[in-house]
mmCIF file of all heavy atoms in Angstrom:
data_model
loop_
_atom_site.group_PDB
_atom_site.id
_atom_site.type_symbol
_atom_site.label_atom_id
_atom_site.label_comp_id
_atom_site.label_asym_id
_atom_site.label_seq_id
_atom_site.Cartn_x
_atom_site.Cartn_y
_atom_site.Cartn_z
ATOM 1 N N ARG Y 244 14.815 -17.742 19.733
ATOM 2 C CA ARG Y 244 14.329 -18.162 18.410
ATOM 3 C C ARG Y 244 12.791 -18.155 18.426
ATOM 4 O O ARG Y 244 12.200 -18.464 19.439
ATOM 5 C CB ARG Y 244 14.796 -19.611 18.102
ATOM 6 C CG ARG Y 244 16.340 -19.736 18.062
ATOM 7 C CD ARG Y 244 16.750 -21.145 17.801
ATOM 8 N NE ARG Y 244 16.359 -21.589 16.459
ATOM 9 C CZ ARG Y 244 16.672 -22.802 15.939
ATOM 10 N NH1 ARG Y 244 17.294 -23.709 16.696
ATOM 11 N NH2 ARG Y 244 16.300 -23.135 14.703
ATOM 12 N N PHE Y 245 12.226 -17.830 17.310
ATOM 13 C CA PHE Y 245 10.766 -17.750 17.214
ATOM 14 C C PHE Y 245 10.286 -18.792 16.219
ATOM 15 O O PHE Y 245 10.648 -18.756 15.050
ATOM 16 C CB PHE Y 245 10.308 -16.378 16.774
ATOM 17 C CG PHE Y 245 8.832 -16.143 16.915
ATOM 18 C CD1 PHE Y 245 8.262 -15.803 18.067
ATOM 19 C CD2 PHE Y 245 7.978 -16.373 15.795
ATOM 20 C CE1 PHE Y 245 6.863 -15.612 18.240
ATOM 21 C CE2 PHE Y 245 6.610 -16.185 15.878
ATOM 22 C CZ PHE Y 245 6.050 -15.799 17.115
ATOM 23 N N LEU Y 246 9.561 -19.792 16.700
ATOM 24 C CA LEU Y 246 8.972 -20.813 15.934
ATOM 25 C C LEU Y 246 9.960 -21.507 14.937
ATOM 26 O O LEU Y 246 9.731 -21.588 13.724
ATOM 27 C CB LEU Y 246 7.744 -20.340 15.112
ATOM 28 C CG LEU Y 246 6.570 -19.889 15.946
ATOM 29 C CD1 LEU Y 246 5.443 -19.434 15.024
ATOM 30 C CD2 LEU Y 246 6.067 -20.991 16.867
ATOM 31 N N PRO Y 247 11.066 -22.029 15.467
ATOM 32 C CA PRO Y 247 11.955 -22.747 14.616
ATOM 33 C C PRO Y 247 11.348 -24.093 14.208
ATOM 34 O O PRO Y 247 10.426 -24.616 14.892
ATOM 35 C CB PRO Y 247 13.200 -22.981 15.481
ATOM 36 C CG PRO Y 247 12.636 -23.068 16.871
ATOM 37 C CD PRO Y 247 11.502 -22.055 16.873
ATOM 38 N N GLU Y 248 11.820 -24.681 13.095
ATOM 39 C CA GLU Y 248 11.365 -25.971 12.689
ATOM 40 C C GLU Y 248 11.858 -27.000 13.738
ATOM 41 O O GLU Y 248 13.037 -26.955 14.083
ATOM 42 C CB GLU Y 248 11.947 -26.352 11.320
ATOM 43 C CG GLU Y 248 11.464 -27.730 10.827
ATOM 44 C CD GLU Y 248 12.202 -28.121 9.581
ATOM 45 O OE1 GLU Y 248 13.382 -27.803 9.390
ATOM 46 O OE2 GLU Y 248 11.588 -28.854 8.769
ATOM 47 N N THR Y 249 10.969 -27.778 14.280
ATOM 48 C CA THR Y 249 11.347 -28.814 15.267
ATOM 49 C C THR Y 249 10.726 -30.148 14.847
ATOM 50 O O THR Y 249 9.756 -30.165 14.091
ATOM 51 C CB THR Y 249 10.904 -28.424 16.653
ATOM 52 O OG1 THR Y 249 9.417 -28.404 16.672
ATOM 53 C CG2 THR Y 249 11.422 -27.058 17.058
ATOM 54 N N LYS Y 250 11.242 -31.208 15.408
ATOM 55 C CA LYS Y 250 10.672 -32.547 15.140
ATOM 56 C C LYS Y 250 9.211 -32.594 15.689
ATOM 57 O O LYS Y 250 8.369 -33.260 15.072
ATOM 58 C CB LYS Y 250 11.504 -33.617 15.832
ATOM 59 C CG LYS Y 250 12.860 -33.857 15.168
ATOM 60 C CD LYS Y 250 12.642 -34.357 13.732
ATOM 61 C CE LYS Y 250 14.045 -34.562 13.084
ATOM 62 N NZ LYS Y 250 13.867 -34.992 11.612
ATOM 63 N N LEU Y 251 8.921 -31.899 16.765
ATOM 64 C CA LEU Y 251 7.589 -31.890 17.306
ATOM 65 C C LEU Y 251 6.614 -31.274 16.283
ATOM 66 O O LEU Y 251 5.549 -31.848 15.957
ATOM 67 C CB LEU Y 251 7.519 -31.080 18.602
ATOM 68 C CG LEU Y 251 6.149 -30.823 19.203
ATOM 69 C CD1 LEU Y 251 5.499 -32.135 19.624
ATOM 70 C CD2 LEU Y 251 6.226 -29.876 20.385
ATOM 71 N N PHE Y 252 6.965 -30.093 15.766
ATOM 72 C CA PHE Y 252 6.106 -29.448 14.816
ATOM 73 C C PHE Y 252 6.038 -30.253 13.513
ATOM 74 O O PHE Y 252 4.971 -30.368 12.921
ATOM 75 C CB PHE Y 252 6.614 -28.002 14.481
ATOM 76 C CG PHE Y 252 6.421 -27.056 15.605
ATOM 77 C CD1 PHE Y 252 7.022 -25.803 15.554
ATOM 78 C CD2 PHE Y 252 5.636 -27.368 16.723
ATOM 79 C CE1 PHE Y 252 6.857 -24.904 16.608
ATOM 80 C CE2 PHE Y 252 5.423 -26.466 17.731
ATOM 81 C CZ PHE Y 252 6.051 -25.233 17.709
ATOM 82 N N GLU Y 253 7.190 -30.794 13.065
ATOM 83 C CA GLU Y 253 7.219 -31.535 11.806
ATOM 84 C C GLU Y 253 6.346 -32.728 11.868
ATOM 85 O O GLU Y 253 5.769 -33.196 10.867
ATOM 86 C CB GLU Y 253 8.692 -31.946 11.571
ATOM 87 C CG GLU Y 253 8.900 -32.648 10.213
ATOM 88 C CD GLU Y 253 10.316 -33.059 9.994
ATOM 89 O OE1 GLU Y 253 11.200 -32.344 10.533
ATOM 90 O OE2 GLU Y 253 10.579 -34.026 9.297
ATOM 91 N N THR Y 254 6.212 -33.362 13.067
ATOM 92 C CA THR Y 254 5.380 -34.536 13.238
ATOM 93 C C THR Y 254 3.938 -34.186 13.595
ATOM 94 O O THR Y 254 2.963 -34.755 13.065
ATOM 95 C CB THR Y 254 5.932 -35.497 14.342
ATOM 96 O OG1 THR Y 254 7.328 -35.752 14.028
ATOM 97 C CG2 THR Y 254 5.139 -36.746 14.444
ATOM 98 N N LEU Y 255 3.757 -33.231 14.545
ATOM 99 C CA LEU Y 255 2.462 -32.937 15.094
ATOM 100 C C LEU Y 255 1.579 -32.200 14.070
ATOM 101 O O LEU Y 255 0.430 -32.538 13.872
ATOM 102 C CB LEU Y 255 2.624 -32.105 16.339
ATOM 103 C CG LEU Y 255 1.316 -31.628 17.059
ATOM 104 C CD1 LEU Y 255 0.508 -32.806 17.482
ATOM 105 C CD2 LEU Y 255 1.641 -30.670 18.197
ATOM 106 N N PHE Y 256 2.098 -31.144 13.416
ATOM 107 C CA PHE Y 256 1.269 -30.323 12.542
ATOM 108 C C PHE Y 256 0.710 -31.100 11.368
ATOM 109 O O PHE Y 256 -0.486 -30.985 11.038
ATOM 110 C CB PHE Y 256 2.035 -29.111 12.084
ATOM 111 C CG PHE Y 256 2.133 -28.011 13.141
ATOM 112 C CD1 PHE Y 256 1.681 -28.211 14.442
ATOM 113 C CD2 PHE Y 256 2.602 -26.738 12.817
ATOM 114 C CE1 PHE Y 256 1.766 -27.229 15.380
ATOM 115 C CE2 PHE Y 256 2.643 -25.729 13.741
ATOM 116 C CZ PHE Y 256 2.246 -25.965 15.056
ATOM 117 N N PRO Y 257 1.520 -31.890 10.643
ATOM 118 C CA PRO Y 257 0.946 -32.659 9.561
ATOM 119 C C PRO Y 257 -0.158 -33.600 10.028
ATOM 120 O O PRO Y 257 -1.150 -33.794 9.294
ATOM 121 C CB PRO Y 257 2.133 -33.411 8.949
ATOM 122 C CG PRO Y 257 3.300 -32.618 9.298
ATOM 123 C CD PRO Y 257 3.001 -32.039 10.656
ATOM 124 N N GLU Y 258 0.031 -34.194 11.189
ATOM 125 C CA GLU Y 258 -0.996 -35.121 11.736
ATOM 126 C C GLU Y 258 -2.285 -34.368 12.058
ATOM 127 O O GLU Y 258 -3.389 -34.834 11.742
ATOM 128 C CB GLU Y 258 -0.450 -35.857 12.950
ATOM 129 C CG GLU Y 258 -1.433 -36.827 13.569
ATOM 130 C CD GLU Y 258 -1.718 -38.066 12.630
ATOM 131 O OE1 GLU Y 258 -1.070 -38.181 11.611
ATOM 132 O OE2 GLU Y 258 -2.616 -38.833 12.982
ATOM 133 N N ILE Y 259 -2.131 -33.216 12.668
ATOM 134 C CA ILE Y 259 -3.330 -32.387 12.981
ATOM 135 C C ILE Y 259 -4.053 -32.035 11.705
ATOM 136 O O ILE Y 259 -5.266 -32.096 11.617
ATOM 137 C CB ILE Y 259 -2.944 -31.119 13.764
ATOM 138 C CG1 ILE Y 259 -2.453 -31.497 15.203
ATOM 139 C CG2 ILE Y 259 -4.078 -30.135 13.866
ATOM 140 C CD1 ILE Y 259 -1.902 -30.321 15.969
ATOM 141 N N CYS Y 260 -3.277 -31.606 10.688
ATOM 142 C CA CYS Y 260 -3.876 -31.200 9.435
ATOM 143 C C CYS Y 260 -4.476 -32.367 8.671
ATOM 144 O O CYS Y 260 -5.401 -32.199 7.858
ATOM 145 C CB CYS Y 260 -2.827 -30.437 8.576
ATOM 146 S SG CYS Y 260 -2.326 -28.881 9.288
ATOM 147 N N ARG Y 261 -3.921 -33.573 8.851
ATOM 148 C CA ARG Y 261 -4.474 -34.735 8.214
ATOM 149 C C ARG Y 261 -5.827 -35.107 8.828
ATOM 150 O O ARG Y 261 -6.815 -35.383 8.125
ATOM 151 C CB ARG Y 261 -3.513 -35.950 8.355
ATOM 152 C CG ARG Y 261 -4.011 -37.189 7.615
ATOM 153 C CD ARG Y 261 -3.081 -38.371 7.902
ATOM 154 N NE ARG Y 261 -3.141 -38.822 9.269
ATOM 155 C CZ ARG Y 261 -4.084 -39.624 9.745
ATOM 156 N NH1 ARG Y 261 -5.072 -40.050 8.960
ATOM 157 N NH2 ARG Y 261 -4.067 -40.002 11.011
ATOM 158 N N ILE Y 262 -5.913 -35.021 10.178
ATOM 159 C CA ILE Y 262 -7.161 -35.398 10.913
ATOM 160 C C ILE Y 262 -8.200 -34.281 10.719
ATOM 161 O O ILE Y 262 -9.363 -34.581 10.468
ATOM 162 C CB ILE Y 262 -6.832 -35.615 12.400
ATOM 163 C CG1 ILE Y 262 -5.893 -36.804 12.556
ATOM 164 C CG2 ILE Y 262 -8.137 -35.818 13.144
ATOM 165 C CD1 ILE Y 262 -5.383 -36.963 13.969
ATOM 166 N N GLY Y 263 -7.731 -33.057 10.780
ATOM 167 C CA GLY Y 263 -8.676 -31.919 10.711
ATOM 168 C C GLY Y 263 -8.229 -30.864 9.700
ATOM 169 O O GLY Y 263 -7.722 -29.800 10.114
ATOM 170 N N PRO Y 264 -8.255 -31.166 8.414
ATOM 171 C CA PRO Y 264 -7.771 -30.199 7.425
ATOM 172 C C PRO Y 264 -8.458 -28.838 7.493
ATOM 173 O O PRO Y 264 -7.785 -27.813 7.254
ATOM 174 C CB PRO Y 264 -8.022 -30.903 6.082
ATOM 175 C CG PRO Y 264 -9.082 -31.920 6.354
ATOM 176 C CD PRO Y 264 -8.883 -32.362 7.777
ATOM 177 N N ASP Y 265 -9.714 -28.794 7.836
ATOM 178 C CA ASP Y 265 -10.416 -27.510 7.938
ATOM 179 C C ASP Y 265 -9.859 -26.684 9.087
ATOM 180 O O ASP Y 265 -9.815 -25.458 8.992
ATOM 181 C CB ASP Y 265 -11.917 -27.740 8.142
ATOM 182 C CG ASP Y 265 -12.598 -28.266 6.897
ATOM 183 O OD1 ASP Y 265 -12.018 -28.008 5.813
ATOM 184 O OD2 ASP Y 265 -13.650 -28.882 6.993
#
Side-chain angles (χ1 to χ4, degrees):
R244 301 178 68 178
F245 191 84
L246 293 183
E248 182 188 33
T249 65
K250 289 297 181 183
L251 173 64
F252 288 169
E253 184 181 332
T254 304
L255 178 62
F256 280 10
E258 181 66 7
I259 291 174
C260 293
R261 183 185 69 81
I262 297 172
D265 289 337

